[in-house]
Amino acid sequence: MCLAHGTLYANRLCMQARKLEAQLDEQMNSYRKLVSAKASTKVDAAENDLESGLDRLLKQLQQVNSQMQAWVSSGGSEMVSHTLIRHQEILQDLTQEFHRLRASLRAKQEHASLLEDFREFDRTRLDLEGGVGSTEQALLKEHASISRSTGQLKQLLVHLFFNVQLLGESIQSSAMLAAAFQR
């Protein structure tokens, strides 16, 4: 590849990276607002669209960074090497924030779900206390107890899953960044 053609290629990659970062920043602002305002247990279409759009843009930015890394590794300029490091840092920051926000949103949804379960349990308990001690009422009471226990177990599993997922993603991001600095 001739020097002029290589420089144009590097400039195009840098422009693509900046464009993707701007799009990510815009969508991340919308996602932050959604996470801070979300209080329901239901996942809606706007939330799914934002998450999938952010995920897609993060993957595109990773791909552009990989192309820049390949160009730098094959003898590209020192200036592009410094630019690449900055784009990799931005990618890592955006990826970590996205995963943190997504985990926060899931935790809010789980919390809202547990509150709904508790309210249902409380209504069932009040209904039982107001009535006579029939077999039906005993079964309803047992059902409410099982529902509450299931909800607590569900919350524990969701928190455990997200913590493991965040840990894995953090390790993966750190490994990618370390690999980029070693090159």
Side-chain angles (χ1 to χ4, degrees), residues 62-139:
Q62 174 61 47
Q63 187 177 32
V64 170
N65 282 354
S66 295
Q67 290 171 341
M68 265 194 271
Q69 179 65 53
W71 188 81
V72 167
S73 296
S74 69
S77 75
E78 185 69 24
M79 187 176 85
V80 175
S81 178
H82 291 297
T83 303
L84 170 63
I85 291 170
R86 182 64 191 133
H87 286 299
Q88 288 172 330
E89 290 170 350
I90 291 169
L91 173 63
Q92 183 178 13
D93 290 346
L94 289 169
T95 300
Q96 287 176 346
E97 182 179 10
F98 174 60
H99 292 300
R100 182 187 57 78
L101 287 170
R102 185 169 54 189
S104 175
L105 182 60
R106 298 296 184 267
K108 279 183 170 188
Q109 291 168 333
E110 186 59 31
H111 180 76
S113 174
L114 287 173
L115 285 177
E116 285 179 16
D117 290 347
F118 181 75
R119 285 186 199 111
E120 181 60 33
F121 168 75
D122 203 37
R123 279 192 296 272
T124 303
R125 184 182 56 81
L126 289 173
D127 290 345
L128 288 174
E129 289 174 356
V132 185
S134 71
T135 304
E136 257 181 54
Q137 290 171 342
L139 289 173

Side-chain angles (χ1 to χ4, degrees), residues 18-177:
R18 284 191 297 272
K19 181 181 174 187
L20 288 167
E21 289 163 358
Q23 290 173 333
L24 277 161
D25 192 45
E26 182 180 315
Q27 285 197 15
M28 197 68 79
N29 283 331
S30 298
Y31 194 60
R32 274 186 217 101
K33 289 175 187 174
L34 181 126
V35 170
S36 66
K38 187 80 171 181
S40 103
T41 59
K42 295 187 167 104
V43 177
D44 57 24
E47 177 185 322
N48 279 337
D49 289 348
L50 257 177
E51 283 184 3
S52 62
L54 282 165
D55 194 44
R56 180 183 43 77
L57 287 171
L58 287 168
K59 286 176 182 171
Q60 288 176 350
L61 183 55
Q62 174 61 47
Q63 187 177 32
V64 170
N65 282 354
S66 295
Q67 290 171 341
M68 265 194 271
Q69 179 65 53
W71 188 81
V72 167
S73 296
S74 69
S77 75
E78 185 69 24
M79 187 176 85
V80 175
S81 178
H82 291 297
T83 303
L84 170 63
I85 291 170
R86 182 64 191 133
H87 286 299
Q88 288 172 330
E89 290 170 350
I90 291 169
L91 173 63
Q92 183 178 13
D93 290 346
L94 289 169
T95 300
Q96 287 176 346
E97 182 179 10
F98 174 60
H99 292 300
R100 182 187 57 78
L101 287 170
R102 185 169 54 189
S104 175
L105 182 60
R106 298 296 184 267
K108 279 183 170 188
Q109 291 168 333
E110 186 59 31
H111 180 76
S113 174
L114 287 173
L115 285 177
E116 285 179 16
D117 290 347
F118 181 75
R119 285 186 199 111
E120 181 60 33
F121 168 75
D122 203 37
R123 279 192 296 272
T124 303
R125 184 182 56 81
L126 289 173
D127 290 345
L128 288 174
E129 289 174 356
V132 185
S134 71
T135 304
E136 257 181 54
Q137 290 171 342
L139 289 173
L140 285 173
K141 185 175 182 180
E142 184 64 24
H143 175 71
S145 176
I146 291 169
S147 293
R148 184 181 74 233
S149 296
T150 302
Q152 290 169 343
L153 180 59
K154 185 175 156 186
Q155 179 186 23
L156 178 63
L157 290 173
V158 166
H159 287 291
L160 180 61
F161 172 76
F162 282 117
N163 285 334
V164 169
Q165 185 179 13
L166 285 174
L167 179 61
E169 290 167 352
S170 180
I171 290 169
Q172 183 182 12
S173 294
S174 296
M176 287 176 17
L177 192 56

